[in-house]
Amino acid sequence: MLYTRTMISLNRMKYLIIGLLIICFSSCQSEKNDVVKIEFKVDVSEIQDEIDDVNTLGISGYRPHLLPRKIVPLKAEGNGIYSAEMSFDKAFIGDTITYWYSHGLIHLENLPYGQMGYRSVILGPKDKNLPIVKWGEIKVTKDMKISSPRMVVRQSDKNEEKKYLAEPFIGITTDGQLKKELYSILKTGLSTANIRTAVLKLLDSLNQEQRDKSMFSIDATEWQRWSNTDFYKRKGICLCDLNEVQKELAIDILKESLSPRGFDKSNNIMKMEAYLGRLINKTERFNSDLYWLTIMGNPSETEPWGWQLEGHHLVINYFILKDQVVMTPTFMGSEPVYIESSVEEGIRTFEREESLGLEFYNSLTEAQSKTATLHDNKEFNFIQTQSYSDNRIIPYTGIRITELDSKQKELLLTLIHEYVGNMKEGHATLKMEEIKSHLDETYFSWIGTPKHDHPFYYRIHSPVILIEFDHQKPVAFPVDKPSRQHIHTVVRTPNGNDYGKDLLRQHLEEEHHHE
């Protein structure tokens, strides 16, 4: 009897164990069957000599539930082929996976006209090995979402920078071809003597080593070696290495070169940097003294020269030929945009650039806004002409100013002057006259929605000026989408006159002709 009961118990246990094994096996199979694997492959053989470290090759995406918002390393398969295998939950079958390849941690694939290429694939019910694709060869459709091109150069003195600087300077164009005879050497009647005096006073205060570090020839590629990023290794003399008297002399250069409004904007950006450093406890990376000054050429009444101030969220290139001035490229940005607590409490950056942009866009009729709007949803950074973009091709897009009424044109000119007016008044007036002479060739484009607190981008583009305003994804704070708390702006002089290069060319040709 006892034996029988024991056997029955053992049999029950056996069946229980078998049942558990079946359940476990089914669960494992189910778990395995609930996953779809995709193998991504890219051929980088054509750019392999540009990659400083192949270990930085990776893949990433912007849809958090499909791809992690981090860069997944690629593994080498030989002959320039790199791959990565990733698993996706079957619950997302039918969804589109949007992704991109990268190298150097933040460098993404570029498309024609400097647009950013986002590849995509629809998640199917079975495992899939994607065909090998060549780096940068992406089919562009009108529905493809695009964002800002990442920096061509992440750090100074690397192969990428050397290759970039070796390219002949052309300037920003709409099709790769310069529109000529836009700029002329003029007698403006506006004095630049105070700027020259301010620079000479600073130079006189420097020792020989400091002067050697800060001075370059007028045609030096140092003009083009600027970056917005805080980690970029800059040349020139840092404000942080100057004593208090020298620092005041450096600031006097800004005061003499800029309008009061332009100086206040620059000064507030510097203060915002210090505020950011305190907010995130990284004052060694973000503070108001981490800006570098370089002098191009020798300050002169008759010969071309200029200066450049460069640092995080503030880059000013200032070219002078006698009494004529070119102040581009100028990059200004800010994160955050409002100081809530400190001795500078209440400082707000880019308030007018933002509000005037909104006012103009809201003045458009429904038909006009439809023409001006490239995308009605802003999910990415979009700015096109930041650092290392001197030869970028930017086609005209959006609405042409000839389609506006007189009131709308005045609103647009007010918005343009908000940027141009960072120069001294007389020079700004001359630039506005130049802009007005090409007003019928001016375009305005927009990305985003004008709703309260929603991010947006706008661009004003003509043969003689290009202005960009972009709400960016926060970098210092954990937010995944563009926000009004991080702003980048750029002003450019298209068709070859950034850094005053077309005026310099004309001057040198004229001098050579006289010789």
Side-chain angles (χ1 to χ4, degrees), residues 258-259 261-262 265 327 332 418-424:
L258 308 179
S259 66
R261 183 173 71 194
K265 287 180 184 180
M327 200 180 95
M332 292 184 175
E418 186 61 32
Y419 294 87
V420 174
N422 291 330
M423 288 194 292
K424 285 286 189 183

Side-chain angles (χ1 to χ4, degrees), residues 381-417:
N381 302 337
F382 196 81
I383 201 161
Q384 302 290 300
T385 61
Q386 297 184 118
S387 58
Y388 295 95
S389 302
D390 292 333
N391 292 341
R392 192 166 297 285
I393 297 173
I394 310 288
Y396 290 131
T397 56
I399 188 168
R400 191 169 179 172
I401 303 312
T402 52
E403 299 181 43
L404 305 180
D405 61 33
S406 58
K407 184 178 179 181
Q408 291 170 326
K409 289 178 181 178
E410 284 303 314
L411 286 174
L412 184 66
L413 286 170
T414 300
L415 174 57
I416 293 171
H417 189 266

Side-chain angles (χ1 to χ4, degrees), residues 26 57 65 299 327 442 444 484:
S26 298
L57 282 165
H65 62 281
M327 200 180 95
T442 304
F444 176 89
R484 291 197 183 185

Side-chain angles (χ1 to χ4, degrees), residues 65-220:
H65 62 281
L66 291 178
L67 278 175
R69 198 176 179 275
K70 63 180 182 180
I71 294 174
V72 177
L74 297 175
K75 63 180 181 180
E77 294 196 355
N79 298 321
I81 308 298
Y82 287 78
S83 68
E85 184 180 79
M86 281 183 277
S87 300
F88 302 91
D89 195 302
K90 275 194 172 180
F92 298 114
I93 287 176
D95 270 340
T96 299
I97 301 169
T98 304
Y99 65 98
W100 59 82
Y101 293 109
S102 67
H103 75 80
L105 302 183
I106 61 172
H107 304 174
L108 307 185
E109 295 181 284
N110 286 320
L111 293 173
Y113 308 124
Q115 297 171 351
M116 182 56 56
Y118 287 85
R119 300 176 182 271
S120 63
V121 60
I122 296 175
L123 189 63
K126 297 180 179 180
D127 292 359
K128 181 181 294 187
N129 293 322
L130 297 183
I132 298 172
V133 296
K134 279 191 174 291
W135 179 275
E137 289 185 4
I138 306 171
K139 183 179 179 182
V140 185
T141 68
K142 65 179 181 179
D143 297 319
M144 176 175 281
K145 294 180 178 179
I146 54 178
S147 75
S148 64
R150 297 287 179 161
M151 290 189 304
V152 177
V153 177
R154 184 168 184 258
Q155 193 49 273
S156 60
D157 299 322
K158 298 291 185 180
N159 289 336
E160 293 155 323
E161 183 182 72
K162 291 174 184 176
K163 180 180 178 181
Y164 173 84
L165 295 176
E167 296 175 359
F169 175 86
I170 298 171
I172 291 181
T173 62
T174 59
D175 58 4
Q177 301 297 315
L178 286 175
K179 187 172 182 179
K180 298 182 178 180
E181 298 182 358
L182 291 171
Y183 311 105
S184 301
I185 296 176
L186 303 172
K187 292 182 179 180
T188 68
L190 301 168
S191 176
T192 56
N194 288 347
I195 306 171
R196 184 172 64 256
T197 300
V199 172
L200 288 172
K201 283 183 178 180
L202 174 64
L203 290 175
D204 287 343
S205 76
L206 302 179
N207 60 39
Q208 191 59 50
E209 181 183 359
Q210 290 174 318
R211 287 171 66 94
D212 291 344
K213 287 174 63 176
S214 61
M215 297 195 73
F216 295 83
S217 65
I218 185 60
D219 58 352

Side-chain angles (χ1 to χ4, degrees), residues 305-325:
W305 67 284
W307 59 264
Q308 179 189 82
L309 182 77
E310 179 195 6
H312 188 229
H313 279 154
L314 181 62
V315 181
I316 301 173
N317 291 280
Y318 205 98
F319 172 86
I320 299 172
L321 176 58
K322 299 177 182 177
D323 58 4
Q324 202 167 353
V325 165

